[in-house]
Structures are given as C-alpha cells and as structure tokens.
Amino acid sequence: MQDINTYLSNHKQRLLDELFDLLRIPSVSADPAYVADVEAAADYIKNEMEKIGLENISIEETPGYPIVYGEKIINPDLPTVLVYGHYDVQPPDPIELWESDPFEPVIRKTDIHPEGAIFARGASDDKGQMFMHLKAVEYLLQQNQLPVNVKFMIEGEEEVGSPSLAWYVARNHGKLKNDVIIISDTGMVANDVPAITTGLRGLAYVEVEVTGPNRDLHSGLYGGAVANPINILAKMIARLTDDKNRITIPGFYDKVKELSPEERAAIAHTPFDLEQYKKELGIADVYGEEGYTTLERQSIRPSLDVNGIWGGYTGEGAKTIIPSKAYAKISMRLVPDQDPEEIPDLFEQYFKQLAPKAVKVKVTNLHGGYPYVTPTDSPGYKAAAKAMKRAFGKEPLPIYSGGSIPIVPLFEKELGSKSILMGFGLNSDAIHSPNEHYGVFNYFKGIETISYFYDFYKEQLT
Ligand code: BES
Ligand code: MN
Ligand code: MN
C-alpha cells in the first residue's frame, strides 16, 4: 500500500491539472448567461466520479441546476459518510480588479502562501475544497482502503441560496441516508492553526423598493416639495441601527442566545491579531456592536448589512431629477435561536413604520437559512479532530464562523444527521471577492486530512 503523501507527490501535477480544468468552467449560478457552463461543471463532476470508481452516478434534475450524485457502498452494514459540496461559484465581478483571468487558474506566491496559491473564482469556495473529497476517495479506492460507505451529493445552486435542495432532499431521504455529513466549505484560523467550524450564522435576505412620485421629476420644479425616495431610503436605513450599533428592529434580539462567560473566554483564546486584521483590510478602525469583540461581532452576534443600493441617475455628468424609485438589498446574519421565517416579517413591519406617508414601501423576502451549532463530542467531530491532528500535528480549534450554509441545518432537520464542517480555507482567500485563491498547501493538506478521516470515523463507531 502506498501512503497518502507518496501518492500526493507522485500525482501532484495531475491533481492540480484536474482541478484547473474544473476552475476553467465559469459555473456562475446567479447569472442566466452561464447556464451552459453551470451544466458543464455538473458534467465534469459526473465524469470525475466515474473515473475514480463511484457507482450509481447520476445527474439529478431539479427545478433548478442539477445535483450530481455518486456513491460507493462497500457493505450496507457499515456506516455511511455523505459528502456535500457545491460546484457553482459567485459572479467574478468586479472583473477589472482581478490580476489574472478569474477562469484561467494560475499559481502565484503570496505572503501567506510562500509555496503558491491557485488564483481563480471558486478556487477556495468551493471547487477546490469540494474536489479534495473526490481525490481523497480516489486514493482510498485505488488502494482498496475505503473503510466505510460513501455518498457524494454536489449541488449547483449554493451561491444563490440552494432553492432546489430542500425539494431534492425531501424526495430522497432513502438515497441520502447516512451516519454523518462532511463538508469542506469553511475555513481554518491559519495554516498552522487548524480548526473545525462548530457554528454558522443564519441569514435573512430582503430587497426593498421605495416609490415616490410616479415618474422622475425635474428637481428644480419639484425639489423641496416632493419626497425623494433615495433621500428617504437613506434615512430609513440609517435608523435600522442605533448609536451603539445595535439593530433597532423591535423583537430582533428576543431569541438571541447570550453566550456564557466560558464560551466567550474560549472565543477570546482564538488567535487573532487586530492590527493585522485592520492592515489587511486597509481600514483605520473596526466598527460594530458595543460591548463585543471583533471575533464575537463576526460570529456569535447578529448583523445587518446593505449589500447594494441603487436608483436615480448614475451615468456621466449631472442630471437634475427627483427619482421615482429607490432600492436596496439588505441582509441580516442570524444567530441561535433567531428564526429566518420570523425576522423578515419583523423587518417589514418596522421598515414600513419608518417611512413617511409621502412614499410607498415594498419589501420582498429573497431567501434565508437557519443558524447552526454542532457539539464537539459527536463521533464525526472526534474523527475529524483526529484526522486534523494527524495531518497538521496539532489539535484543531473549534470555531464559530460568521458565514452561512443554509443546507446544514436543513440536513439535520430532514435527515437527522450532523454535518462536520472540516474546511481548509483561510479568511484571506478572498472568497466572493476579486482575486479569490486557495493555497496549494491547503489543497494537498485537505486531501491528506480527508483520507485519514474515514479510518478514524470507522474506529469511532466500531
Ligand atoms: N462557503 C460559503 C460559506 C462560508 C464561508 C461559511 C466561509 C463559513 C466560512 C458559502 O458558499 C456562502 O457563500 N454562503 C452564503 C450564503 C448563501 C445563502 C448565499 C453566505 O454566507 O453569504
Ligand atoms: Mn461555499
Ligand atoms: Mn460562497
């Protein structure tokens, strides 16, 4: 039998080339212009599954983009691991800020990645991380060493809120039956500080439309006498948070669980350099809810952000109008036990109250997801911790992340299984930003760690 590190060094170039081919497919789920590419990415995954020797492979049609399924059942009496990942990516915009083509991967060295990082949209989120799972199972199957059953479900709509996934999961309880779900779509603290994510924030995402007069008006003839919906929207948004940076929506914090002093102390022990953080982001100071640290603000406290705001004239030069309409996209990150079914209603009631009679307000609920926390004493967590310890030589830290993966709480509700968030990204990977990248070290370390997971998981259960 060949050990994993020998295997990785013997196949290094091929393992990079195969990922690069996947990264070349611009599978942007948000933009209908890329339909054929998203489908091509699904095909690519299906072919990979065939090449590594999975069985019952299929491109599962859904009302949206397909889910690619494949499995290897070595013995129905053994435990089953379900791997989830996504092959869709965020739009590359603003494209002019990329130093190289987002869909032509290249390896460049960075301060954090002296051995090189792969620059491409999806390199870290989530093609690079999802692909590690296929490659770890490729190795185990080639060595005839897969110790448990494995099922893969790779979706293509994660970046647009997984609209078809609930539909699919509800219809496939039997097929997806598993003992644990493993997902690499999160991050670590640093390359020498491995971590397992034990908390995710939930999400409530709304779009608002404020309408003033029935058409754009001459701002000289009407200015001062008619409500300008952009001015009004700006005032309304300003009132959503107070001078302590707390969200003012009545009832918003009612279900927020406060952490115990012990839990807060654990967060305070996570390595974090505030000066470095500010420097990396080019900001003179941090900003957030009074009474909480930066790590707390971005993980265990809820937040509200305007993602985009538009309306009126934004072309060259000056045009003198009072616009008829103003819009904003507003997201709220939620923490246990806030409910993404309730929060948009609370938002809508309050937001409408904030508006003067001179404008009409429409609020549309775009999508949402529940927050998630998982214990550190489950067999899956313990196996993941042992695998990381073996690969990194260090015990991983449990960390709360501020990001959201809405299907994780959905899996727990529908399939009754825990998800282990064994991610290998870094915050500096620039996911969703220009120049997204993923360390070459992280890619290979991830494959190595995942290959250990399966043995440790079997050991936990038998
Ligand atoms: N992989 C991310 C989520 C993530 C990244 C969690 C890093 C923790 C650490 C995922 O692809 C993502 O971007 N999720 C969206 C939510 C979705 C509903 C669009 C998010 O968090 O904004
Ligand atoms: Mn992701
Ligand atoms: Mn993402």
Side-chain angles (χ1 to χ4, degrees):
M1 183 192 155
Q2 200 173 46
D3 74 74
I4 180 72
N5 284 315
T6 312
Y7 185 83
L8 293 178
S9 66
N10 289 349
H11 296 271
K12 184 161 192 211
Q13 195 53 49
R14 177 179 62 82
L15 295 172
L16 286 170
D17 289 344
E18 289 170 350
L19 172 59
F20 277 31
D21 283 341
L22 175 61
L23 291 171
R24 285 192 184 96
I25 307 171
S27 47
V28 178
S29 51
D31 185 344
Y34 295 93
V35 178
D37 300 299
V38 183
E39 281 163 2
D43 268 329
Y44 188 88
I45 303 297
K46 170 177 174 268
N47 287 335
E48 269 301 322
M49 288 182 177
E50 281 164 358
K51 277 193 347 207
I52 69 173
L54 296 184
E55 291 160 1
N56 288 321
I57 299 161
S58 65
I59 297 219
E60 310 262 279
E61 296 305 333
T62 74
Y65 286 120
I67 286 161
V68 194
Y69 180 87
E71 64 181 27
K72 182 77 189 183
I73 307 297
I74 55 168
N75 175 349
D77 296 332
L78 284 172
T80 300
V81 172
L82 176 71
V83 178
Y84 164 86
H86 61 96
Y87 63 80
D88 64 321
V89 300
Q90 285 277 319
D93 313 67
I95 206 143
E96 65 282 3
L97 295 182
W98 283 77
E99 280 167 38
S100 55
D101 186 332
F103 299 110
E104 189 44 64
V106 287
I107 294 180
R108 281 201 302 273
K109 293 185 164 54
T110 71
D111 290 350
I112 290 175
H113 297 289
E115 74 303 320
I118 304 157
F119 281 78
R121 172 58 85 227
S124 174
D125 182 12
D126 179 41
K127 286 172 172 171
Q129 296 213 59
M130 173 268 289
F131 209 66
M132 300 179 314
H133 286 269
L134 288 164
K135 297 294 114 177
V137 170
E138 167 191 297
Y139 162 78
L140 291 170
L141 289 176
Q142 277 200 18
Q143 307 297 311
N144 244 315
Q145 294 289 329
L146 183 68
V148 293
N149 303 314
V150 65
K151 296 174 175 175
F152 278 83
M153 114 182 246
I154 311 298
E155 74 150 316
E157 297 185 313
E158 198 278 340
E159 298 293 8
V160 290
S162 306
S164 309
L165 209 74
W167 178 94
Y168 179 77
V169 173
R171 280 165 183 73
N172 289 280
H173 277 200
K175 187 167 188 169
L176 300 174
K177 192 173 173 331
N178 66 80
D179 297 281
V180 71
I181 300 173
I182 51 174
I183 304 177
S184 296
D185 196 19
T186 52
M188 309 185 294
V189 176
N191 274 355
D192 57 356
V193 188
I196 298 173
T197 298
T198 53
L200 291 167
R201 285 196 285 191
L203 187 65
Y205 202 123
V206 297
E207 182 169 321
V208 300
E209 181 191 87
V210 179
T211 307
N214 58 9
R215 58 193 162 89
D216 291 0
L217 302 176
H218 188 290
S219 65
L221 298 181
Y222 293 94
V226 174
N228 178 323
I230 301 184
N231 294 24
I232 302 279
L233 175 58
K235 279 195 196 174
M236 290 165 72
I237 288 171
R239 290 181 59 187
L240 291 173
T241 47
D242 66 16
D243 54 8
K244 294 191 160 97
N245 283 320
R246 276 177 70 90
I247 295 152
T248 51
I249 301 166
F252 186 83
Y253 289 97
D254 284 1
K255 293 189 172 171
V256 171
K257 264 202 189 140
E258 290 290 334
L259 262 61
S260 68
E262 293 74 32
E263 288 168 311
R264 293 186 70 178
I267 295 175
H269 275 108
T270 311
F272 177 72
D273 182 340
L274 187 61
E275 287 314 309
Q276 179 63 24
Y277 180 87
K278 292 194 275 192
K279 203 175 134 215
E280 250 172 52
L281 300 179
I283 51 176
D285 204 358
V286 291
Y287 190 80
E289 187 185 359
E290 211 176 275
Y292 294 91
T293 65
T294 295
L295 279 181
E296 289 172 337
R297 288 169 179 169
Q298 65 176 35
S299 63
I300 53 108
R301 296 298 297 169
S303 60
L304 181 150
D305 280 287
V306 179
N307 297 255
I309 180 164
W310 70 102
Y313 183 69
T314 55
E316 285 294 313
K319 183 186 183 207
T320 47
I321 54 157
I322 294 173
S324 167
K325 284 181 186 289
Y327 304 85
K329 289 186 190 277
I330 300 175
S331 65
M332 289 157 276
R333 296 283 169 174
L334 311 180
V335 300
D337 293 318
Q338 286 179 297
D339 187 337
E341 312 271 336
E342 292 170 10
I343 294 289
D345 292 338
L346 297 179
F347 176 92
E348 180 169 357
Q349 274 175 35
Y350 180 58
F351 203 64
K352 286 189 164 160
Q353 261 175 45
L354 290 179
K357 248 190 13 222
V359 296
K360 283 198 290 286
V361 174
K362 192 170 125 197
V363 176
T364 312
N365 187 3
L366 294 185
H367 63 68
Y370 283 85
Y372 186 70
V373 276
T374 187
T376 55
D377 58 3
S378 69
Y381 185 93
K382 286 188 196 158
K386 284 188 173 172
M388 281 204 148
K389 169 97 201 282
R390 177 150 175 213
F392 289 82
K394 265 189 191 172
E395 205 69 52
L397 286 177
I399 55 169
Y400 291 119
S401 171
S404 308
I405 311 180
I407 47 79
V408 168
L410 182 95
F411 283 152
E412 180 147 329
K413 188 165 145 258
E414 289 274 328
L415 303 173
S417 33
K418 301 252 173 277
S419 292
I420 305 304
L421 302 164
M422 191 174 31
F424 298 89
L426 296 179
N427 281 351
S428 56
D429 287 351
I431 63 173
H432 296 205
S433 301
N435 304 305
E436 175 176 353
H437 56 280
Y438 190 46
V440 173
F441 167 86
N442 303 65
Y443 180 52
F444 288 105
K445 215 27 143 186
I447 303 175
E448 181 191 341
T449 308
I450 293 163
S451 80
Y452 301 148
F453 172 83
Y454 287 88
D455 273 328
F456 285 125
Y457 185 61
K458 184 174 184 185
E459 201 180 281
Q460 287 293 322
L461 290 195
T462 48

